[in-house]
Amino acid sequence: MTHLDQLKISNDLSLPIEAATWVISYLAKRGAGKTYCASDQAEEMLKAAIPIVVIDGMGIWWGLRVSADGQHEGLPVVVFGGEHADLPLIPEKAAEMAKAIVESNISCVLDLSGLSKRLSRKIVADFLDELYKLNRVVRHVYIEESDMFAPQRPIGPEQELCLSAVDNFVRRGGNHNLGCTLITQRSAVLNKDILTQSDCLVILRTLAP
């Protein structure tokens, strides 16, 4: 295989390009490197001209657009919201934003780190529902701290609505050429109906069952 036919995620490990439409899950305690590994995977997808979307509740994925030495431009990623925003993130326009991303076919980060959990869940539910409806090209979505959006035991209609959107996206997104990477340090509270849809499970430092 040539590099264009694979996602080279380490010196001696590659994933097939078809992994762009897989469900991939990274499970590990904090500081174990799950986000680093997932971002490396994201960089490979961008290099292969596969557009990505990152749902970032931590405010760290904007770094994709900066080089490793911090002195040069990184990868072509538009950041919505957060301290490093290119464009504002307006909760009431999440569906319109998904439509614009599909039409322009850009890669982007939705930085939710400055928003409440309630608003973050509303954005994710509206955004994923619209993206699922409209997308047709191969695209991969990363969901950082995915347990917040897909809890094992949802409490109230707000969490149930968001869980339903993530569940539909993960289960059926492949029909619309959508892949998804779930990242969590709390695997016990990530919804198991969703986690068991994983095509590839990456477990780093995890002590609990």
Side-chain angles (χ1 to χ4, degrees):
M1 290 192 299
T2 67
H3 186 63
L4 294 177
D5 298 320
Q6 58 187 342
L7 304 171
K8 187 174 175 60
I9 57 175
S10 75
N11 290 334
D12 56 0
L13 180 63
S14 297
L15 295 174
I17 200 71
E18 292 79 18
T21 56
W22 289 1
V23 176
I24 303 172
S25 296
Y26 286 85
L27 311 178
K29 292 173 67 66
R30 64 180 182 178
K34 57 189 178 299
T35 297
Y36 176 85
C37 292
S39 64
D40 187 63
Q41 172 195 310
E43 290 174 4
E44 286 295 296
M45 290 196 185
L46 288 168
K47 292 174 185 175
I50 298 167
I52 68 167
V53 174
V54 182
I55 295 172
D56 178 15
M58 299 175 64
I60 56 178
W61 279 79
W62 63 271
L64 284 173
R65 67 180 189 190
V66 181
S67 65
D69 61 10
Q71 304 300 313
H72 307 90
E73 288 188 7
L75 296 163
V77 176
V78 178
V79 179
F80 292 89
E83 295 183 7
H84 303 274
D86 298 306
L87 294 167
L89 179 58
I90 303 172
E92 297 77 17
K93 295 187 176 181
E96 290 91 333
M97 185 166 54
K99 181 179 180 182
I101 288 166
V102 169
E103 290 176 348
S104 58
N105 204 31
I106 61 170
S107 292
C108 64
V109 173
L110 310 186
D111 187 336
L112 307 174
S113 59
L115 302 176
S116 68
K117 290 182 178 180
R118 181 184 64 81
L119 273 180
S120 295
R121 291 188 180 106
K122 182 182 187 312
I123 290 171
V124 169
D126 293 347
F127 180 88
L128 290 183
D129 279 345
E130 191 70 9
L131 186 63
Y132 171 79
K133 286 191 293 183
L134 299 177
N135 188 78
R136 293 299 180 269
V137 304
V138 174
R139 191 183 312 273
H140 199 86
V141 176
Y142 293 79
I143 307 180
E144 182 73 67
E145 300 294 335
S146 53
D147 55 277
M148 186 174 87
F149 307 109
Q152 177 65 23
R153 296 185 178 88
I155 301 173
E158 164 208 310
Q159 291 190 18
E160 290 174 355
L161 185 65
C162 190
L163 171 60
S164 177
V166 176
D167 181 70
N168 180 67
F169 191 88
V170 170
R171 287 175 185 265
R172 302 180 179 88
N175 295 330
H176 293 181
N177 293 316
L178 288 160
C180 184
T181 289
L182 306 168
I183 308 163
T184 182
Q185 61 177 300
R186 305 180 67 209
S187 53
V189 295
L190 175 61
N191 188 274
K192 298 308 176 293
D193 288 342
I194 291 175
L195 182 59
T196 54
Q197 298 301 310
S198 301
D199 300 294
C200 179
L201 189 62
V202 182
I203 301 175
L204 301 173
R205 189 170 71 241
T206 299
L207 303 180

